[in-house]
Amino acid sequence: MIRIVIVEEMGLLRGALRAVLSNEEDLDVVADLHEAGELVAVARARRPDVVVVDLELPGADMLAVVARLAEAAPGSAVLALSTQLTPEALQRAIRAGARGFVDKNLPPAELARLVRAVSLGERVFDPVAAVAALNPPESPLTDRELEVLRIVAEGLPLKEIARRLFLAHGTVRNHLSVIMRKTGTRNRLEAVRQAQRAGWL
């Protein structure tokens, strides 16, 4: 039997996930949680083979929870569910220790198949996000513009960015104008997010 713990805030969806997985002869849902706070303790006590976790649980840094789980219960494979199927989200999930990263809206029969796969040590990833991560669109930005954007992503003011790069304040402002024009974004934050989604940073 493959022992499973489910972490999902929405009661209806959590119940549906439990019902789907429990209907399979080789799958046993040993716990279902509506919040992440108890997950590490439950995983230590129940020793699940697979933890199916909603990465978008409100009020919790689920990637940090997944990372803690990987340390506390290394025998439990994490199958992460998400609606944000971007290359950046996939890479963050992998870094946190997830063995699978898939669409939250996948068909029930497919979920059972993926649970079995990760329990056997396989890695399963949403194909669209995986292809995008492996083949990110080519960046229109120069190396210097990417360097500016990396420091912008740290949340530093223009003066500090200029000081860090040994550039004039006006030069940094010009770089940012060009970056926003090339990326079709309205402000620095949007430019950073787009670059992260595309895998340029």
Side-chain angles (χ1 to χ4, degrees):
M1 291 288 280
I2 298 170
R3 296 164 58 80
I4 304 161
V5 169
I6 298 168
V7 188
E8 167 57 52
E9 184 213 18
M10 293 176 60
L12 191 61
L13 179 54
R14 189 169 68 254
L17 291 172
R18 181 172 195 128
V20 164
L21 296 174
S22 296
N23 280 338
E24 302 289 324
E25 290 183 3
D26 60 333
L27 305 182
D28 179 23
V29 179
V30 297
D32 60 81
L33 310 172
H34 72 279
E35 60 182 15
E38 304 170 50
L39 177 57
V40 171
V42 169
R44 280 184 176 138
R46 301 293 181 90
R47 299 193 177 279
D49 300 297
V50 179
V51 177
V52 178
V53 59
D54 180 356
L55 281 188
E56 287 139 29
L57 230 58
D61 180 349
M62 291 309 297
L63 290 173
V65 172
V66 169
R68 284 201 303 276
L69 182 65
E71 290 180 7
S76 300
V78 174
L79 178 59
L81 307 180
S82 179
T83 57
Q84 298 178 16
L85 303 174
T86 65
E88 181 200 11
L90 168 61
Q91 289 161 355
R92 283 188 283 130
I94 292 170
R95 284 197 297 271
R99 195 175 291 169
F101 175 83
V102 295
D103 190 345
K104 188 175 175 178
N105 300 309
L106 81 172
E110 182 69 0
L111 177 62
R113 185 186 72 78
L114 296 178
V115 164
R116 292 185 185 100
V118 295
S119 76
L120 294 171
E122 294 179 32
R123 290 183 172 274
V124 293
F125 302 120
D126 176 80
V128 175
V131 168
L134 292 170
N135 302 288
E138 191 170 334
S139 170
L141 305 177
T142 65
D143 289 345
R144 175 59 99 180
E145 288 161 358
L146 286 170
E147 193 176 14
V148 169
L149 208 51
R150 279 190 197 95
I151 299 176
V152 168
E154 296 177 26
L156 298 177
L158 285 181
K159 285 183 180 178
E160 179 60 24
I161 295 169
R163 191 190 65 75
R164 182 94 70 90
L165 295 175
F166 305 102
L167 295 173
H169 185 274
T171 303
V172 172
R173 192 184 298 279
N174 289 341
H175 278 309
L176 287 171
S177 296
V178 172
I179 288 167
M180 288 184 282
R181 180 173 50 76
K182 285 183 177 180
T183 57
T185 52
R186 294 170 297 180
N187 55 52
R188 286 178 271 172
L189 184 57
E190 280 187 14
V192 167
R193 285 178 177 161
Q194 180 164 316
Q196 288 172 335
R197 282 195 299 269
W200 302 333
L201 292 183

